[in-house]
Amino acid sequence: MTDPDGQTEPKISVLFDAATIDKRVKELAHEIAQSGLEKLLVVAVLKGSFVFTADLLRALHGAGLSPEVEFITLSSYRDATISSGHVTVLRDIESDVRDRSVLLIDDILESGRTLAYAKDLMAARGAKVVKSCVLLDKPGKRASSIDADYMGFECPDLFVVGYGMDMAHTFRELPFVGYVTTE
Ligand code: IMP
Ligand code: MG
C-alpha cells in the first residue's frame, strides 16, 4: 500500500498473538518463582521491555513473588534497525544492587551485547545473582556467548515490532508481536 507521498506503508503480520503471549508470560512467572531468587529486584531494560515487564510483574505477583522494580535505559540501536554494536547507559537504575538477586528483563536477545553489558554492570556493582529473562530469542545473530535464563519464544530472524517494541519509535502500542512486511 502507498501513502499520498507515494511511500510504501509498512504492513504488520502477527507472529505471536496476545493470548499466546499471555499464556507464556504466566508460565515464565511460575518458572521464575520456582528458582528461589531472594531479595528480588527486577530491572527492566527500556524502552522495548516495558510492556513485557508490566505483564510479567503482575504474573510474578500471581506466582507468589513480591519483587521490587527498577528501570535502566540502554541503547545500541538509536533510530536504526541494525545494531551499532556499542551499548550506552542512557538512564541508570537508582537502587543499590549489592547482595541482591537481579532479574534483567529485555524484549529481544539478538547479538547479546545489550544483555551481556547489563549483566556485567550488575555483577560489577555487587549483585549476588544476576539472571535474565527475555521475551524473544533470535539465536541467528549472536555475537556474545550469552543465553537468557528464561525465554518466552524463539523468534525467526525478522524485524519485529509491537508489545513494546518499535521500529523508529512506531508500533510499540500493538498488543501482539508482529513483523514488518512492505506488502
Ligand atoms: P542485542 O544487543 O543485539 O542483543 O540487541 C537487543 C536489543 O535490540 C533489544 O533489546 C531490542 O531493543 C533491539 N532489537 C533487536 N532486534 C529487534 C527487532 O526485531 N525489533 C525491535 N528491536 C529489536
Ligand atoms: Mg531493547
Side-chain angles (χ1 to χ4, degrees):
M1 212 202 283
T2 53
D3 69 15
D5 300 327
Q7 301 278 1
T8 304
E9 273 182 41
K11 186 178 167 291
I12 311 296
S13 300
V14 177
L15 190 59
F16 301 109
D17 66 24
T20 305
I21 296 170
D22 182 60
K23 182 167 171 279
R24 187 70 190 117
V25 166
K26 287 177 177 135
E27 288 168 2
L28 281 174
H30 281 94
E31 267 182 59
I32 293 164
Q34 276 161 16
S35 54
L37 297 167
E38 284 168 6
K39 293 199 279 180
L40 182 59
L41 177 67
V42 164
V43 176
V45 179
L46 296 180
K47 297 176 186 172
S49 73
F50 78 105
V51 176
F52 178 42
T53 301
D55 282 349
L56 185 67
L57 205 69
R58 284 172 288 183
L60 287 173
H61 166 77
L65 296 189
S66 318
E68 290 181 20
V69 193
E70 276 280 3
F71 303 93
I72 189 165
T73 310
L74 298 178
S75 182
S76 63
Y77 264 52
R78 302 292 172 155
D79 288 346
T81 54
I82 296 170
S83 175
S84 65
H86 180 73
V87 182
T88 50
V89 178
L90 301 180
R91 182 190 174 279
D92 210 340
I93 58 169
E94 290 163 4
S95 302
D96 189 351
V97 300
R98 215 168 312 155
D99 299 323
R100 303 194 65 170
S101 305
V102 171
L103 178 66
L104 292 161
I105 313 280
D106 207 351
D107 50 359
I108 304 184
L109 177 58
E110 194 176 59
S111 76
R113 287 191 194 96
T114 307
L115 208 55
Y117 179 90
K119 272 191 121 163
D120 289 350
L121 187 65
M122 297 301 140
R125 288 176 179 176
K128 192 165 104 188
V129 188
V130 186
K131 298 278 186 193
S132 58
C133 176
V134 299
L135 178 70
L136 304 175
D137 185 3
K138 279 191 194 173
K141 287 196 181 157
R142 204 74 97 242
S144 212
S145 59
I146 184 169
D147 275 316
D149 298 288
Y150 309 96
M151 187 264 282
F153 304 99
E154 189 168 308
C155 181
D157 194 10
L158 297 165
F159 195 80
V160 295
V161 295
Y163 198 64
M165 295 172 285
D166 73 311
M167 184 179 72
H169 308 291
T170 60
F171 303 122
R172 289 194 199 274
E173 73 284 6
L174 300 176
F176 56 84
V177 175
Y179 61 96
V180 185
T181 57
T182 43
E183 269 287 288

